[in-house]
Amino acid sequence: MPSGRIIFIGASTGGTEAIKQVLLGLPQNSPPILIVQHMPEMFTGAFARRLDGLCAVRVKEAEHGEAVLPGTAYIAPGHSHLLVRRGPTGGLQCELSRADPVNRHRPSVDALFASAAVQVGAAAVGILLTGMGKDGAQGLLEMRRAGAWTIAQDAGSCVVYGMPREAAMIGAASEVVSLDEIAHHALRQTMLGGVRDA
């Protein structure tokens, strides 16, 4: 599978099962995946460990400064924003920030997606899953404007059609897809080698 692509996922209410379903659809040699799920900090580590035992990809709680590697999914700890940054050698790293909440959330999906737009641009695939409110919609729009392929979960498969609905309404989604098709669509984009819509 071509390297250089990164998948970014955001979710809130209903997201734990939605994230599990997406990750179960990804192979062991998947591009790196960075994830924000709105969740208290005492639960994110256990969530990562549970997914790690179920999925072909490695799943872990993100650590500040660690390299972003293929075949690994990094889940934001419940106390910090998860961002992506360029390391000293040019590779990508996880960055954890205890900056103020965004959209009343820390971690915030918007914070992750905004960093993806700046640092990864057209090499990113953004996925916004079920959740209440609007966190992630503006960040997904920033990703799309930076050339990324962006996917919003459809109403019929959401527990709460809030965040993806906001994204669809402002034109942030390249496509709106049911949950059981999202992994396939994301992988297809990582293998297209940069074919993007206008």
Side-chain angles (χ1 to χ4, degrees):
M1 183 169 293
S3 60
R5 303 276 170 201
I6 302 185
I7 297 171
F8 296 86
I9 301 175
S12 188
T13 312
T16 55
E17 288 303 304
I19 289 168
K20 181 181 80 170
Q21 187 161 338
V22 173
L23 293 185
L24 284 171
L26 300 177
Q28 189 173 3
N29 65 339
S30 165
I33 307 132
L34 277 72
I35 301 169
V36 165
Q37 162 70 47
H38 296 157
M39 180 181 281
E41 61 182 281
M42 66 280 287
F43 297 124
T44 47
F47 178 51
R49 288 189 296 273
R50 181 170 77 90
L51 292 177
D52 188 53
L54 296 171
C55 303
V57 295
R58 181 186 181 214
V59 185
K60 67 184 301 296
E61 197 172 42
E63 298 174 62
H64 185 70
E66 71 177 318
V68 172
L69 301 174
T72 307
Y74 304 87
I75 293 179
H79 53 66
S80 297
H81 297 303
L82 173 60
L83 313 171
V84 64
R85 69 180 183 191
R86 294 281 166 188
T89 60
L92 289 167
Q93 298 178 340
C94 294
E95 178 180 353
L96 300 182
S97 167
R98 292 190 184 241
D100 290 342
V102 177
N103 298 318
R104 304 190 305 279
H105 294 289
R106 188 179 64 209
S108 161
V109 182
D110 268 339
L112 174 63
F113 284 1
S115 75
V118 172
Q119 300 292 340
V120 185
V125 175
I127 301 170
L128 191 57
L129 299 174
T130 175
M132 194 175 298
K134 63 179 183 179
D135 188 32
Q138 191 61 42
L140 200 71
L141 181 60
E142 291 176 32
M143 288 183 70
R144 189 174 188 190
R145 287 174 172 167
W149 188 261
T150 55
I151 300 170
Q153 186 178 349
D154 73 354
S157 62
C158 280
V159 173
V160 178
Y161 189 51
M163 289 157 43
R165 176 178 178 271
E166 289 289 329
M169 284 176 60
I170 64 172
S174 305
E175 58 179 346
V176 177
V177 179
S178 67
L179 179 59
D180 59 0
E181 291 290 318
I182 286 176
H184 170 72
H185 282 245
L187 286 172
R188 185 176 66 189
Q189 291 304 320
T190 66
M191 293 185 286
L192 283 177
V195 176
R196 293 292 183 268
D197 66 345

